[in-house]
Amino acid sequence: MAGITDLTELLVNLQPELSLSRYIYCCTENTNLDAIASMSPLATFREEEGMTFILSYESAVQHNIEINNVYRCITLKVHSSLEAVGLTAVVASELAKHGISANVMAGFYHDHIFVNENHAEQAMLALTELSQR
C-alpha cells in the first residue's frame, strides 16, 4: 500500500503517539554492526566519523554507555510516503516554535520524531494542535 503524499491530508491525519520508552543517541568509531547488534539498537546510521546508533535507556545502562541526553519517540501514525514533500519541515518548524529540537527518522510507513524527554509532553500537545488546525 502506497503512503500518503498530500501534505494537507498528512497533517490532518498525523495521529502523534508518544512511546513510553526512553532512548539515547551515541556514537562509536567501531562500525562493526555485529558488535553493535548485541546492544539491540533501535536504529543505526554510518557516518564518516563513526556509527551513530539509538539505544533504549536500559540497554545503554546495561552496556555502560555514557548518557548525555534522554529522548522519547513520537511516532506519526499516518502512513506517510517516503516521497511526501514538506511533512518533516512543517513538523520540525512547529516544534521549533516551542523551542523543541526535532530529530526525525523516516521509516517505510511512519515518521518518528525523537525529542528530549523534558519536552515530550509539550511536543505532543504542539503536534496534536497542528493536526487539528
PDB file of all heavy atoms in Angstrom, residues 5-42:
ATOM      1  N   THR A   5       0.936  11.197   0.119  1.00  0.00           N
ATOM      2  CA  THR A   5       1.878  12.235  -0.288  1.00  0.00           C
ATOM      3  C   THR A   5       1.313  13.642  -0.094  1.00  0.00           C
ATOM      4  O   THR A   5       2.078  14.596  -0.007  1.00  0.00           O
ATOM      5  CB  THR A   5       2.301  12.071  -1.762  1.00  0.00           C
ATOM      6  OG1 THR A   5       1.130  12.110  -2.582  1.00  0.00           O
ATOM      7  CG2 THR A   5       3.060  10.768  -1.979  1.00  0.00           C
ATOM      8  N   ASP A   6       0.005  13.788  -0.035  1.00  0.00           N
ATOM      9  CA  ASP A   6      -0.626  15.099   0.083  1.00  0.00           C
ATOM     10  C   ASP A   6      -0.374  15.684   1.476  1.00  0.00           C
ATOM     11  O   ASP A   6      -0.791  15.089   2.485  1.00  0.00           O
ATOM     12  CB  ASP A   6      -2.131  14.985  -0.180  1.00  0.00           C
ATOM     13  CG  ASP A   6      -2.824  16.326  -0.070  1.00  0.00           C
ATOM     14  OD1 ASP A   6      -2.650  17.155  -0.990  1.00  0.00           O
ATOM     15  OD2 ASP A   6      -3.499  16.555   0.959  1.00  0.00           O
ATOM     16  N   LEU A   7       0.276  16.842   1.545  1.00  0.00           N
ATOM     17  CA  LEU A   7       0.676  17.428   2.819  1.00  0.00           C
ATOM     18  C   LEU A   7      -0.523  17.753   3.708  1.00  0.00           C
ATOM     19  O   LEU A   7      -0.499  17.472   4.909  1.00  0.00           O
ATOM     20  CB  LEU A   7       1.527  18.681   2.597  1.00  0.00           C
ATOM     21  CG  LEU A   7       2.063  19.354   3.854  1.00  0.00           C
ATOM     22  CD1 LEU A   7       2.897  18.389   4.695  1.00  0.00           C
ATOM     23  CD2 LEU A   7       2.876  20.596   3.480  1.00  0.00           C
ATOM     24  N   THR A   8      -1.576  18.293   3.146  1.00  0.00           N
ATOM     25  CA  THR A   8      -2.765  18.612   3.940  1.00  0.00           C
ATOM     26  C   THR A   8      -3.355  17.357   4.563  1.00  0.00           C
ATOM     27  O   THR A   8      -3.677  17.326   5.757  1.00  0.00           O
ATOM     28  CB  THR A   8      -3.827  19.329   3.071  1.00  0.00           C
ATOM     29  OG1 THR A   8      -3.248  20.519   2.540  1.00  0.00           O
ATOM     30  CG2 THR A   8      -5.060  19.669   3.893  1.00  0.00           C
ATOM     31  N   GLU A   9      -3.476  16.304   3.774  1.00  0.00           N
ATOM     32  CA  GLU A   9      -4.002  15.037   4.284  1.00  0.00           C
ATOM     33  C   GLU A   9      -3.093  14.450   5.370  1.00  0.00           C
ATOM     34  O   GLU A   9      -3.566  13.929   6.382  1.00  0.00           O
ATOM     35  CB  GLU A   9      -4.171  14.044   3.135  1.00  0.00           C
ATOM     36  CG  GLU A   9      -4.861  12.754   3.543  1.00  0.00           C
ATOM     37  CD  GLU A   9      -5.076  11.797   2.387  1.00  0.00           C
ATOM     38  OE1 GLU A   9      -4.855  12.164   1.213  1.00  0.00           O
ATOM     39  OE2 GLU A   9      -5.469  10.642   2.674  1.00  0.00           O
ATOM     40  N   LEU A  10      -1.795  14.556   5.167  1.00  0.00           N
ATOM     41  CA  LEU A  10      -0.844  14.074   6.166  1.00  0.00           C
ATOM     42  C   LEU A  10      -1.021  14.810   7.491  1.00  0.00           C
ATOM     43  O   LEU A  10      -1.072  14.193   8.557  1.00  0.00           O
ATOM     44  CB  LEU A  10       0.595  14.235   5.667  1.00  0.00           C
ATOM     45  CG  LEU A  10       1.045  13.278   4.576  1.00  0.00           C
ATOM     46  CD1 LEU A  10       2.337  13.765   3.931  1.00  0.00           C
ATOM     47  CD2 LEU A  10       1.212  11.875   5.139  1.00  0.00           C
ATOM     48  N   LEU A  11      -1.128  16.116   7.421  1.00  0.00           N
ATOM     49  CA  LEU A  11      -1.230  16.920   8.645  1.00  0.00           C
ATOM     50  C   LEU A  11      -2.530  16.662   9.397  1.00  0.00           C
ATOM     51  O   LEU A  11      -2.542  16.580  10.627  1.00  0.00           O
ATOM     52  CB  LEU A  11      -1.072  18.406   8.319  1.00  0.00           C
ATOM     53  CG  LEU A  11       0.319  18.813   7.823  1.00  0.00           C
ATOM     54  CD1 LEU A  11       0.317  20.257   7.354  1.00  0.00           C
ATOM     55  CD2 LEU A  11       1.361  18.579   8.893  1.00  0.00           C
ATOM     56  N   VAL A  12      -3.625  16.525   8.671  1.00  0.00           N
ATOM     57  CA  VAL A  12      -4.920  16.253   9.310  1.00  0.00           C
ATOM     58  C   VAL A  12      -4.923  14.894  10.006  1.00  0.00           C
ATOM     59  O   VAL A  12      -5.574  14.702  11.022  1.00  0.00           O
ATOM     60  CB  VAL A  12      -6.062  16.327   8.254  1.00  0.00           C
ATOM     61  CG1 VAL A  12      -7.366  15.774   8.796  1.00  0.00           C
ATOM     62  CG2 VAL A  12      -6.251  17.759   7.779  1.00  0.00           C
ATOM     63  N   ASN A  13      -4.149  13.963   9.468  1.00  0.00           N
ATOM     64  CA  ASN A  13      -4.137  12.592   9.981  1.00  0.00           C
ATOM     65  C   ASN A  13      -2.845  12.225  10.723  1.00  0.00           C
ATOM     66  O   ASN A  13      -2.498  11.040  10.812  1.00  0.00           O
ATOM     67  CB  ASN A  13      -4.356  11.618   8.815  1.00  0.00           C
ATOM     68  CG  ASN A  13      -5.724  11.765   8.216  1.00  0.00           C
ATOM     69  OD1 ASN A  13      -6.714  11.456   8.858  1.00  0.00           O
ATOM     70  ND2 ASN A  13      -5.785  12.275   7.001  1.00  0.00           N
ATOM     71  N   LEU A  14      -2.139  13.196  11.274  1.00  0.00           N
ATOM     72  CA  LEU A  14      -0.858  12.935  11.942  1.00  0.00           C
ATOM     73  C   LEU A  14      -0.930  11.829  12.984  1.00  0.00           C
ATOM     74  O   LEU A  14      -0.086  10.960  13.020  1.00  0.00           O
ATOM     75  CB  LEU A  14      -0.345  14.197  12.648  1.00  0.00           C
ATOM     76  CG  LEU A  14       0.446  15.194  11.864  1.00  0.00           C
ATOM     77  CD1 LEU A  14       0.920  16.315  12.778  1.00  0.00           C
ATOM     78  CD2 LEU A  14       1.599  14.581  11.121  1.00  0.00           C
ATOM     79  N   GLN A  15      -1.887  11.893  13.866  1.00  0.00           N
ATOM     80  CA  GLN A  15      -2.049  10.939  14.968  1.00  0.00           C
ATOM     81  C   GLN A  15      -0.734  10.694  15.715  1.00  0.00           C
ATOM     82  O   GLN A  15      -0.229   9.563  15.777  1.00  0.00           O
ATOM     83  CB  GLN A  15      -2.605   9.602  14.470  1.00  0.00           C
ATOM     84  CG  GLN A  15      -3.942   9.692  13.815  1.00  0.00           C
ATOM     85  CD  GLN A  15      -4.374   8.364  13.225  1.00  0.00           C
ATOM     86  OE1 GLN A  15      -3.593   7.429  13.081  1.00  0.00           O
ATOM     87  NE2 GLN A  15      -5.644   8.274  12.890  1.00  0.00           N
ATOM     88  N   PRO A  16      -0.159  11.745  16.320  1.00  0.00           N
ATOM     89  CA  PRO A  16       1.095  11.539  17.056  1.00  0.00           C
ATOM     90  C   PRO A  16       0.882  10.624  18.252  1.00  0.00           C
ATOM     91  O   PRO A  16      -0.131  10.713  18.945  1.00  0.00           O
ATOM     92  CB  PRO A  16       1.479  12.954  17.492  1.00  0.00           C
ATOM     93  CG  PRO A  16       0.218  13.734  17.487  1.00  0.00           C
ATOM     94  CD  PRO A  16      -0.655  13.112  16.430  1.00  0.00           C
ATOM     95  N   GLU A  17       1.826   9.729  18.451  1.00  0.00           N
ATOM     96  CA  GLU A  17       1.749   8.777  19.568  1.00  0.00           C
ATOM     97  C   GLU A  17       3.101   8.755  20.278  1.00  0.00           C
ATOM     98  O   GLU A  17       4.129   8.490  19.659  1.00  0.00           O
ATOM     99  CB  GLU A  17       1.402   7.392  19.023  1.00  0.00           C
ATOM    100  CG  GLU A  17       1.265   6.339  20.099  1.00  0.00           C
ATOM    101  CD  GLU A  17       0.839   5.004  19.505  1.00  0.00           C
ATOM    102  OE1 GLU A  17      -0.355   4.853  19.192  1.00  0.00           O
ATOM    103  OE2 GLU A  17       1.721   4.136  19.329  1.00  0.00           O
ATOM    104  N   LEU A  18       3.079   9.035  21.577  1.00  0.00           N
ATOM    105  CA  LEU A  18       4.304   9.095  22.369  1.00  0.00           C
ATOM    106  C   LEU A  18       4.636   7.724  22.944  1.00  0.00           C
ATOM    107  O   LEU A  18       3.833   7.116  23.651  1.00  0.00           O
ATOM    108  CB  LEU A  18       4.131  10.108  23.501  1.00  0.00           C
ATOM    109  CG  LEU A  18       5.318  10.314  24.440  1.00  0.00           C
ATOM    110  CD1 LEU A  18       6.526  10.838  23.692  1.00  0.00           C
ATOM    111  CD2 LEU A  18       4.917  11.269  25.562  1.00  0.00           C
ATOM    112  N   SER A  19       5.832   7.256  22.651  1.00  0.00           N
ATOM    113  CA  SER A  19       6.297   5.978  23.192  1.00  0.00           C
ATOM    114  C   SER A  19       6.620   6.134  24.671  1.00  0.00           C
ATOM    115  O   SER A  19       7.081   7.184  25.113  1.00  0.00           O
ATOM    116  CB  SER A  19       7.559   5.539  22.443  1.00  0.00           C
ATOM    117  OG  SER A  19       8.144   4.440  23.072  1.00  0.00           O
ATOM    118  N   LEU A  20       6.389   5.090  25.423  1.00  0.00           N
ATOM    119  CA  LEU A  20       6.749   5.092  26.841  1.00  0.00           C
ATOM    120  C   LEU A  20       8.244   4.886  27.026  1.00  0.00           C
ATOM    121  O   LEU A  20       8.806   5.228  28.069  1.00  0.00           O
ATOM    122  CB  LEU A  20       5.981   4.001  27.588  1.00  0.00           C
ATOM    123  CG  LEU A  20       4.467   4.155  27.633  1.00  0.00           C
ATOM    124  CD1 LEU A  20       3.826   2.951  28.313  1.00  0.00           C
ATOM    125  CD2 LEU A  20       4.072   5.447  28.330  1.00  0.00           C
ATOM    126  N   SER A  21       8.899   4.327  26.020  1.00  0.00           N
ATOM    127  CA  SER A  21      10.327   4.020  26.106  1.00  0.00           C
ATOM    128  C   SER A  21      11.170   5.288  26.082  1.00  0.00           C
ATOM    129  O   SER A  21      10.776   6.309  25.530  1.00  0.00           O
ATOM    130  CB  SER A  21      10.745   3.118  24.953  1.00  0.00           C
ATOM    131  OG  SER A  21      10.051   1.899  25.006  1.00  0.00           O
ATOM    132  N   ARG A  22      12.353   5.166  26.677  1.00  0.00           N
ATOM    133  CA  ARG A  22      13.324   6.256  26.694  1.00  0.00           C
ATOM    134  C   ARG A  22      14.534   5.799  25.895  1.00  0.00           C
ATOM    135  O   ARG A  22      14.907   4.630  25.931  1.00  0.00           O
ATOM    136  CB  ARG A  22      13.723   6.559  28.136  1.00  0.00           C
ATOM    137  CG  ARG A  22      12.526   6.939  28.986  1.00  0.00           C
ATOM    138  CD  ARG A  22      12.851   6.888  30.459  1.00  0.00           C
ATOM    139  NE  ARG A  22      13.722   8.005  30.832  1.00  0.00           N
ATOM    140  CZ  ARG A  22      14.583   7.979  31.840  1.00  0.00           C
ATOM    141  NH1 ARG A  22      14.732   6.888  32.574  1.00  0.00           N
ATOM    142  NH2 ARG A  22      15.322   9.027  32.127  1.00  0.00           N
ATOM    143  N   TYR A  23      15.147   6.735  25.166  1.00  0.00           N
ATOM    144  CA  TYR A  23      16.238   6.401  24.263  1.00  0.00           C
ATOM    145  C   TYR A  23      17.411   7.359  24.434  1.00  0.00           C
ATOM    146  O   TYR A  23      17.247   8.478  24.908  1.00  0.00           O
ATOM    147  CB  TYR A  23      15.773   6.476  22.798  1.00  0.00           C
ATOM    148  CG  TYR A  23      14.664   5.518  22.486  1.00  0.00           C
ATOM    149  CD1 TYR A  23      13.340   5.934  22.486  1.00  0.00           C
ATOM    150  CD2 TYR A  23      14.935   4.189  22.187  1.00  0.00           C
ATOM    151  CE1 TYR A  23      12.314   5.040  22.207  1.00  0.00           C
ATOM    152  CE2 TYR A  23      13.915   3.291  21.903  1.00  0.00           C
ATOM    153  CZ  TYR A  23      12.608   3.732  21.913  1.00  0.00           C
ATOM    154  OH  TYR A  23      11.595   2.853  21.637  1.00  0.00           O
ATOM    155  N   ILE A  24      18.572   6.906  24.002  1.00  0.00           N
ATOM    156  CA  ILE A  24      19.746   7.768  23.929  1.00  0.00           C
ATOM    157  C   ILE A  24      20.371   7.639  22.547  1.00  0.00           C
ATOM    158  O   ILE A  24      20.195   6.624  21.868  1.00  0.00           O
ATOM    159  CB  ILE A  24      20.802   7.424  25.010  1.00  0.00           C
ATOM    160  CG1 ILE A  24      21.429   6.053  24.749  1.00  0.00           C
ATOM    161  CG2 ILE A  24      20.206   7.484  26.401  1.00  0.00           C
ATOM    162  CD1 ILE A  24      22.875   6.001  25.113  1.00  0.00           C
ATOM    163  N   TYR A  25      21.064   8.679  22.129  1.00  0.00           N
ATOM    164  CA  TYR A  25      21.884   8.653  20.921  1.00  0.00           C
ATOM    165  C   TYR A  25      23.326   8.486  21.375  1.00  0.00           C
ATOM    166  O   TYR A  25      23.741   9.087  22.376  1.00  0.00           O
ATOM    167  CB  TYR A  25      21.786   9.984  20.167  1.00  0.00           C
ATOM    168  CG  TYR A  25      20.612  10.118  19.245  1.00  0.00           C
ATOM    169  CD1 TYR A  25      19.319  10.244  19.727  1.00  0.00           C
ATOM    170  CD2 TYR A  25      20.800  10.151  17.869  1.00  0.00           C
ATOM    171  CE1 TYR A  25      18.248  10.399  18.877  1.00  0.00           C
ATOM    172  CE2 TYR A  25      19.732  10.307  17.003  1.00  0.00           C
ATOM    173  CZ  TYR A  25      18.454  10.432  17.516  1.00  0.00           C
ATOM    174  OH  TYR A  25      17.396  10.582  16.662  1.00  0.00           O
ATOM    175  N   CYS A  26      24.096   7.703  20.658  1.00  0.00           N
ATOM    176  CA  CYS A  26      25.514   7.587  20.954  1.00  0.00           C
ATOM    177  C   CYS A  26      26.262   7.297  19.655  1.00  0.00           C
ATOM    178  O   CYS A  26      25.657   7.026  18.617  1.00  0.00           O
ATOM    179  CB  CYS A  26      25.788   6.535  22.007  1.00  0.00           C
ATOM    180  SG  CYS A  26      25.046   4.952  21.714  1.00  0.00           S
ATOM    181  N   CYS A  27      27.576   7.379  19.747  1.00  0.00           N
ATOM    182  CA  CYS A  27      28.396   7.170  18.558  1.00  0.00           C
ATOM    183  C   CYS A  27      29.660   6.417  18.946  1.00  0.00           C
ATOM    184  O   CYS A  27      30.179   6.589  20.046  1.00  0.00           O
ATOM    185  CB  CYS A  27      28.762   8.520  17.937  1.00  0.00           C
ATOM    186  SG  CYS A  27      29.623   8.366  16.361  1.00  0.00           S
ATOM    187  N   THR A  28      30.107   5.574  18.039  1.00  0.00           N
ATOM    188  CA  THR A  28      31.349   4.848  18.249  1.00  0.00           C
ATOM    189  C   THR A  28      32.132   4.815  16.945  1.00  0.00           C
ATOM    190  O   THR A  28      31.538   4.850  15.860  1.00  0.00           O
ATOM    191  CB  THR A  28      31.084   3.405  18.733  1.00  0.00           C
ATOM    192  OG1 THR A  28      32.329   2.736  18.903  1.00  0.00           O
ATOM    193  CG2 THR A  28      30.234   2.623  17.758  1.00  0.00           C
ATOM    194  N   GLU A  29      33.434   4.781  17.058  1.00  0.00           N
ATOM    195  CA  GLU A  29      34.270   4.651  15.863  1.00  0.00           C
ATOM    196  C   GLU A  29      34.186   3.239  15.303  1.00  0.00           C
ATOM    197  O   GLU A  29      34.501   3.002  14.151  1.00  0.00           O
ATOM    198  CB  GLU A  29      35.717   5.014  16.193  1.00  0.00           C
ATOM    199  CG  GLU A  29      35.899   6.480  16.493  1.00  0.00           C
ATOM    200  CD  GLU A  29      37.331   6.829  16.857  1.00  0.00           C
ATOM    201  OE1 GLU A  29      38.219   5.955  16.773  1.00  0.00           O
ATOM    202  OE2 GLU A  29      37.552   7.995  17.231  1.00  0.00           O
ATOM    203  N   ASN A  30      33.746   2.294  16.138  1.00  0.00           N
ATOM    204  CA  ASN A  30      33.595   0.901  15.713  1.00  0.00           C
ATOM    205  C   ASN A  30      32.355   0.803  14.828  1.00  0.00           C
ATOM    206  O   ASN A  30      31.234   0.999  15.280  1.00  0.00           O
ATOM    207  CB  ASN A  30      33.445   0.001  16.945  1.00  0.00           C
ATOM    208  CG  ASN A  30      33.279  -1.458  16.578  1.00  0.00           C
ATOM    209  OD1 ASN A  30      33.229  -1.824  15.414  1.00  0.00           O
ATOM    210  ND2 ASN A  30      33.185  -2.302  17.588  1.00  0.00           N
ATOM    211  N   THR A  31      32.544   0.519  13.562  1.00  0.00           N
ATOM    212  CA  THR A  31      31.414   0.413  12.639  1.00  0.00           C
ATOM    213  C   THR A  31      31.032  -1.043  12.369  1.00  0.00           C
ATOM    214  O   THR A  31      30.319  -1.337  11.415  1.00  0.00           O
ATOM    215  CB  THR A  31      31.714   1.141  11.312  1.00  0.00           C
ATOM    216  OG1 THR A  31      32.878   0.563  10.722  1.00  0.00           O
ATOM    217  CG2 THR A  31      31.908   2.625  11.526  1.00  0.00           C
ATOM    218  N   ASN A  32      31.497  -1.948  13.238  1.00  0.00           N
ATOM    219  CA  ASN A  32      31.163  -3.364  13.116  1.00  0.00           C
ATOM    220  C   ASN A  32      29.732  -3.573  13.619  1.00  0.00           C
ATOM    221  O   ASN A  32      29.463  -3.508  14.813  1.00  0.00           O
ATOM    222  CB  ASN A  32      32.152  -4.190  13.939  1.00  0.00           C
ATOM    223  CG  ASN A  32      31.865  -5.669  13.867  1.00  0.00           C
ATOM    224  OD1 ASN A  32      30.730  -6.096  13.657  1.00  0.00           O
ATOM    225  ND2 ASN A  32      32.895  -6.468  14.058  1.00  0.00           N
ATOM    226  N   LEU A  33      28.818  -3.821  12.701  1.00  0.00           N
ATOM    227  CA  LEU A  33      27.411  -3.987  13.070  1.00  0.00           C
ATOM    228  C   LEU A  33      27.175  -5.162  14.011  1.00  0.00           C
ATOM    229  O   LEU A  33      26.276  -5.123  14.840  1.00  0.00           O
ATOM    230  CB  LEU A  33      26.540  -4.129  11.820  1.00  0.00           C
ATOM    231  CG  LEU A  33      26.286  -2.842  11.048  1.00  0.00           C
ATOM    232  CD1 LEU A  33      25.511  -3.141   9.764  1.00  0.00           C
ATOM    233  CD2 LEU A  33      25.520  -1.841  11.886  1.00  0.00           C
ATOM    234  N   ASP A  34      27.973  -6.213  13.901  1.00  0.00           N
ATOM    235  CA  ASP A  34      27.805  -7.365  14.785  1.00  0.00           C
ATOM    236  C   ASP A  34      28.045  -6.982  16.235  1.00  0.00           C
ATOM    237  O   ASP A  34      27.314  -7.398  17.131  1.00  0.00           O
ATOM    238  CB  ASP A  34      28.747  -8.505  14.380  1.00  0.00           C
ATOM    239  CG  ASP A  34      28.352  -9.142  13.054  1.00  0.00           C
ATOM    240  OD1 ASP A  34      27.154  -9.085  12.710  1.00  0.00           O
ATOM    241  OD2 ASP A  34      29.242  -9.685  12.374  1.00  0.00           O
ATOM    242  N   ALA A  35      29.054  -6.163  16.478  1.00  0.00           N
ATOM    243  CA  ALA A  35      29.353  -5.734  17.852  1.00  0.00           C
ATOM    244  C   ALA A  35      28.233  -4.841  18.388  1.00  0.00           C
ATOM    245  O   ALA A  35      27.826  -4.954  19.546  1.00  0.00           O
ATOM    246  CB  ALA A  35      30.683  -4.995  17.888  1.00  0.00           C
ATOM    247  N   ILE A  36      27.723  -3.972  17.556  1.00  0.00           N
ATOM    248  CA  ILE A  36      26.662  -3.053  17.969  1.00  0.00           C
ATOM    249  C   ILE A  36      25.336  -3.796  18.117  1.00  0.00           C
ATOM    250  O   ILE A  36      24.534  -3.487  18.997  1.00  0.00           O
ATOM    251  CB  ILE A  36      26.559  -1.889  16.964  1.00  0.00           C
ATOM    252  CG1 ILE A  36      27.839  -1.050  17.034  1.00  0.00           C
ATOM    253  CG2 ILE A  36      25.336  -1.031  17.242  1.00  0.00           C
ATOM    254  CD1 ILE A  36      27.991  -0.046  15.927  1.00  0.00           C
ATOM    255  N   ALA A  37      25.111  -4.799  17.301  1.00  0.00           N
ATOM    256  CA  ALA A  37      23.849  -5.548  17.337  1.00  0.00           C
ATOM    257  C   ALA A  37      23.586  -6.180  18.693  1.00  0.00           C
ATOM    258  O   ALA A  37      22.431  -6.327  19.101  1.00  0.00           O
ATOM    259  CB  ALA A  37      23.836  -6.619  16.250  1.00  0.00           C
ATOM    260  N   SER A  38      24.624  -6.536  19.416  1.00  0.00           N
ATOM    261  CA  SER A  38      24.436  -7.146  20.728  1.00  0.00           C
ATOM    262  C   SER A  38      23.762  -6.194  21.715  1.00  0.00           C
ATOM    263  O   SER A  38      23.228  -6.624  22.728  1.00  0.00           O
ATOM    264  CB  SER A  38      25.780  -7.616  21.293  1.00  0.00           C
ATOM    265  OG  SER A  38      26.605  -6.503  21.608  1.00  0.00           O
ATOM    266  N   MET A  39      23.754  -4.902  21.397  1.00  0.00           N
ATOM    267  CA  MET A  39      23.100  -3.909  22.255  1.00  0.00           C
ATOM    268  C   MET A  39      21.652  -3.654  21.832  1.00  0.00           C
ATOM    269  O   MET A  39      20.968  -2.840  22.427  1.00  0.00           O
ATOM    270  CB  MET A  39      23.891  -2.600  22.232  1.00  0.00           C
ATOM    271  CG  MET A  39      25.246  -2.728  22.893  1.00  0.00           C
ATOM    272  SD  MET A  39      26.105  -1.155  22.970  1.00  0.00           S
ATOM    273  CE  MET A  39      27.097  -1.256  21.481  1.00  0.00           C
ATOM    274  N   SER A  40      21.200  -4.336  20.796  1.00  0.00           N
ATOM    275  CA  SER A  40      19.834  -4.200  20.274  1.00  0.00           C
ATOM    276  C   SER A  40      19.443  -2.752  19.972  1.00  0.00           C
ATOM    277  O   SER A  40      18.457  -2.242  20.485  1.00  0.00           O
ATOM    278  CB  SER A  40      18.822  -4.808  21.245  1.00  0.00           C
ATOM    279  OG  SER A  40      19.082  -6.161  21.441  1.00  0.00           O
ATOM    280  N   PRO A  41      20.207  -2.077  19.094  1.00  0.00           N
ATOM    281  CA  PRO A  41      19.860  -0.689  18.782  1.00  0.00           C
ATOM    282  C   PRO A  41      18.534  -0.604  18.042  1.00  0.00           C
ATOM    283  O   PRO A  41      18.178  -1.502  17.279  1.00  0.00           O
ATOM    284  CB  PRO A  41      21.015  -0.228  17.897  1.00  0.00           C
ATOM    285  CG  PRO A  41      21.548  -1.470  17.291  1.00  0.00           C
ATOM    286  CD  PRO A  41      21.349  -2.552  18.319  1.00  0.00           C
ATOM    287  N   LEU A  42      17.823   0.477  18.292  1.00  0.00           N
ATOM    288  CA  LEU A  42      16.592   0.749  17.554  1.00  0.00           C
ATOM    289  C   LEU A  42      16.937   1.127  16.119  1.00  0.00           C
ATOM    290  O   LEU A  42      16.240   0.750  15.182  1.00  0.00           O
ATOM    291  CB  LEU A  42      15.815   1.886  18.237  1.00  0.00           C
ATOM    292  CG  LEU A  42      14.527   2.322  17.573  1.00  0.00           C
ATOM    293  CD1 LEU A  42      13.501   1.199  17.596  1.00  0.00           C
ATOM    294  CD2 LEU A  42      13.985   3.569  18.254  1.00  0.00           C
TER     295      LEU A  42
END
